[in-house]
Amino acid sequence: MEQLRKKIKTDGSVLSSSILKVDAFLNHQIDPQLMNNIGLEFAKKFSESGVTKIVTIESSGIAPAVMAGLHLHVPVVFARKQKSLTLVNDLITASVYSFTKKESNEISVSRKFLNDNDTVLIIDDFLANGQAALGLEEIVSKTKASIAGFGIVIEKGFQDGGRLLREKGYRVESLAVIHSLENGSVEFENAAERKAERIR
Amino acid sequence: MEQLRKKIKTDGSVLSSSILKVDAFLNHQIDPQLMNNIGLEFAKKFSESGVTKIVTIESSGIAPAVMAGLHLHVPVVFARKQKSLTLVNDLITASVYSFTKKESNEISVSRKFLNDNDTVLIIDDFLANGQAALGLEEIVSKTKASIAGFGIVIEKGFQDGGRLLREKGYRVESLAVIHSLENGSVEFENAAERKAERIR
């Protein structure tokens, strides 16, 4: 998605060869117009997939997920990282390991919001090692709902998450795929190249 | 806002005389179409206020805030309840006491996203005791930005938050104001009555 790649170039900052900071428009300050276009893009990509529900994880997944839900006309459920006091009954949980924080956290979704006949689109802001995405997959897989695929705003192509999900047979649509953050600069993967690789 | 009051009646559930559960459309599962209309309503109410930025708090404030930002054409910043590893420099913080959790938590916003000439609309999903709203007010007040007012999705009129903010001279626009949750049923405040009271 050209608008997103441009925004990453102009407003993102490379903190290290593995960390891209996008707090200016995605995960602290949010650009609502960009989120709307991101939601539209996800809606286009999954328009034929019969999606009935979007599942994401708080907090940074919420904005792109809600915009995708707006354009796909389906509800959004966000997994919680902490248990709410008024959300205690019948939770589906998964354990998510954070490589950056070096700790495991339980994430949870209330069972009543995942129906067995749901077709779920999982959306998140980042795909790096894939732990959050796999946690959301685990939660949905504990029901009889099916997974239409993953909609990712920014995939770090040099980390394992995308490969793990694709090897499991999932469709993963990432709106920007980063090939490298070496030398303080963002290099995107060439989508055409990646398609060719997959066909080979 | 009639659509919101109807949704609270049909999909909300009263857990006690002080707790209304709206996890079916606001703070766990989210109804994006309703959020869009809520955003539109906030945008209408504050269209003449010169708002340049919306500030909210993770996680449940994000959806209504981003929709308001979409319609007001301004960026949204959400205060974090936990410090991010890549968001460590120059934070503005406030301490927020949670009556439900009986603990204080620090919330924070990166200073670079609040400019001295910003006019800020503070949005949140609930206004009860007002602790989160006052925490956000404290953060904005630590800069030279001004506060256009507060946009609240659901105000518990029988708790102190709304009074505290209005006594401080702030404009508070709540899209649904709950008068009582006694006997397991939701009773809304009559907007006309409240206006009359304020005029008296």
Side-chain angles (χ1 to χ4, degrees), chain B residues 109-120:
Chain B
V109 166
S110 184
R111 184 174 294 271
K112 66 179 171 180
F113 297 127
L114 283 176
N115 307 317
D116 286 348
N117 53 357
D118 267 332
T119 300
V120 174

Side-chain angles (χ1 to χ4, degrees), chain B residues 16-199:
Chain B
S16 75
S17 61
S18 66
I19 300 179
L20 172 70
K21 193 168 172 172
V22 288
D23 64 344
F25 58 93
L26 184 59
N27 51 23
H28 185 31
Q29 182 167 256
I30 300 172
D31 179 334
Q33 261 67 31
L34 177 64
M35 290 305 127
N36 189 39
N37 291 339
I38 283 171
L40 261 173
E41 195 72 20
F42 284 137
K44 267 191 238 165
K45 288 188 188 295
F46 288 94
S47 64
E48 307 293 314
S49 305
V51 174
T52 61
K53 197 152 287 173
I54 291 172
V55 170
T56 186
I57 183 165
E58 63 180 353
S59 290
S60 308
I62 294 175
V66 167
M67 290 302 183
L70 183 70
H71 296 293
L72 283 169
H73 303 276
V74 300
V76 172
V77 181
F78 65 87
R80 291 185 170 273
K81 290 174 180 168
Q82 286 189 313
K83 280 179 190 156
S84 155
L85 289 182
T86 63
L87 287 174
V88 285
N89 301 323
D90 215 4
L91 295 177
I92 313 175
T93 62
S95 180
V96 170
Y97 181 75
S98 164
F99 284 91
T100 32
K101 292 181 184 165
K102 291 184 182 51
E103 60 180 30
S104 280
N105 280 296
E106 210 175 57
I107 64 169
S108 60
V109 166
S110 184
R111 184 174 294 271
K112 66 179 171 180
F113 297 127
L114 283 176
N115 307 317
D116 286 348
N117 53 357
D118 267 332
T119 300
V120 174
L121 169 59
I122 295 175
I123 285 186
D124 207 3
D125 59 335
F126 264 103
L127 178 63
N129 294 294
Q131 299 305 299
L134 288 166
L136 294 173
E137 184 236 354
E138 185 183 335
I139 283 178
V140 177
S141 299
K142 285 179 176 173
T143 71
K144 293 191 176 116
S146 60
I147 295 176
F150 291 78
I152 302 294
V153 181
I154 303 175
E155 178 181 343
K156 290 177 179 170
F158 56 87
Q159 291 183 336
D160 265 348
R163 189 182 54 75
L164 289 172
L165 293 176
R166 291 181 182 101
E167 277 178 7
K168 284 188 145 202
Y170 291 114
R171 178 176 173 199
V172 182
E173 294 285 353
S174 302
L175 303 188
V177 182
I178 292 167
H179 176 67
S180 145
L181 296 171
E182 297 297 330
N183 307 316
S185 104
V186 182
E187 197 191 315
F188 293 105
E189 270 191 25
N190 185 319
E193 252 173 46
R194 262 190 45 234
K195 231 174 216 167
E197 260 173 42
R198 261 182 275 156
I199 289 161

Side-chain angles (χ1 to χ4, degrees), chain A residues 17-52:
Chain A
S17 61
S18 66
I19 300 180
L20 172 69
K21 194 168 172 173
V22 288
D23 64 344
F25 60 93
L26 184 57
N27 51 24
H28 185 31
Q29 181 167 257
I30 300 172
D31 177 336
Q33 262 67 30
L34 177 63
M35 290 307 127
N36 189 38
N37 291 339
I38 283 171
L40 260 174
E41 195 72 22
F42 284 137
K44 266 190 237 166
K45 288 187 188 295
F46 288 94
S47 63
E48 307 292 315
S49 305
V51 174
T52 61

